Amino acid sequence: MILKVARLGNPVVRGVAREVAAQQIAEGDFQRLLDDMVETMHEYDGVGLAAPQVHVPLCVAVLEVIRHPRYPELAPIPLTFLVNPVVSAVDEHTVEDWEGCLSVPELRGLVPRHKAVRVSALGRRGERLDFIAVDFHARVIQHETDHLNGMVYLDRMKELRTLSYLLEWQRYALGEAPAAKAGTAAARRE
Ligand code: NI
């Protein structure tokens, strides 16, 4: 089922999500939530979605990047479920890149993120996950786990001068004719 996405201003976007009890993971309601989050992420061409964005204040996020033939620079990310994720910087070096968010529609901004992070979490079967993510993968994970703490990418921007509406961003930041590459921005919504 496609879920309604909460937008900035809805208090659920700013709330701190609750930890998921380990025994809850196998329950039907929780598994359905995960399926619905994936369906919702696909429907809106997102690369990640956190439960508070669909009005559920639980510490869980999903992410996936499917290789796009026109944007091969985006390395694919397999469908991943992060329950109760803990993220720490592998090094303090940060890189800036553009982000968007399904809860902050029609905008893009330059956001500094750690280039590499270590992620500990549980997967959708309750299995323990522990891995290092780099570059865009690390960016998506930092963006989604921020949502679990009531933060959006705007809070991470060094300054708001790069904040752009989608069409203007495509035209001026990317230097594209909007009609020619309408899918670019969709590939970056988190
Ligand atoms: Ni987001």
Side-chain angles (χ1 to χ4, degrees):
M1 188 172 71
I2 295 163
L3 304 172
K4 188 174 180 197
V5 176
R7 303 200 303 176
L8 193 64
N10 186 318
V12 75
V13 175
R14 290 307 196 172
V16 176
R18 293 192 308 273
E19 279 220 345
V20 179
Q23 68 271 19
Q24 189 183 349
I25 296 175
E27 289 174 5
D29 282 354
F30 189 76
Q31 291 293 317
R32 253 188 308 280
L33 168 67
L34 298 181
D35 289 338
D36 290 346
M37 286 176 66
V38 172
E39 201 178 339
T40 304
M41 174 174 68
H42 288 164
E43 171 69 13
Y44 295 106
D45 294 319
V47 294
L49 188 70
Q53 292 185 274
V54 290
H55 305 81
V56 178
L58 287 176
C59 279
V60 56
V62 299
L63 42 136
E64 182 181 39
V65 174
I66 298 165
R67 187 176 283 286
H68 195 295
R70 280 162 63 193
Y71 312 107
E73 74 279 6
L74 282 185
I77 301 171
L79 180 61
T80 308
F81 299 87
L82 298 177
V83 179
N84 302 335
V86 176
V87 173
S88 55
V90 170
D91 75 63
E92 295 298 320
H93 180 69
T94 61
V95 284
E96 280 201 318
D97 204 352
W98 294 98
E99 294 188 19
C101 181
L102 296 177
S103 296
V104 190
E106 294 299 312
L107 291 172
R108 296 292 179 273
L110 269 183
V111 185
R113 297 286 187 186
H114 297 296
K115 185 176 168 57
V117 291
R118 181 179 193 128
V119 185
S120 301
L122 299 177
R124 89 169 289 173
R125 303 289 163 215
E127 75 277 22
R128 201 159 278 290
L129 305 177
D130 194 338
F131 59 95
I132 304 263
V134 299
D135 298 328
F136 185 62
H137 190 193
R139 176 171 298 277
V140 175
I141 287 171
Q142 289 169 87
H143 179 115
E144 298 311 330
T145 52
D146 270 357
H147 276 304
L148 306 179
N149 293 308
M151 292 187 72
V152 298
Y153 76 86
L154 303 174
D155 307 326
R156 297 288 191 188
M157 291 175 68
K158 276 189 265 188
E159 41 104 17
L160 294 173
R161 287 180 61 89
T162 62
L163 198 62
S164 307
Y165 283 105
L166 183 53
L167 284 176
E168 283 73 10
W169 174 75
Q170 288 173 325
R171 185 171 173 189
Y172 297 106
L174 297 186
E176 296 174 348
K181 277 200 173 182
T184 304
R188 292 264 173 142
R189 284 191 292 190
E190 294 143 23

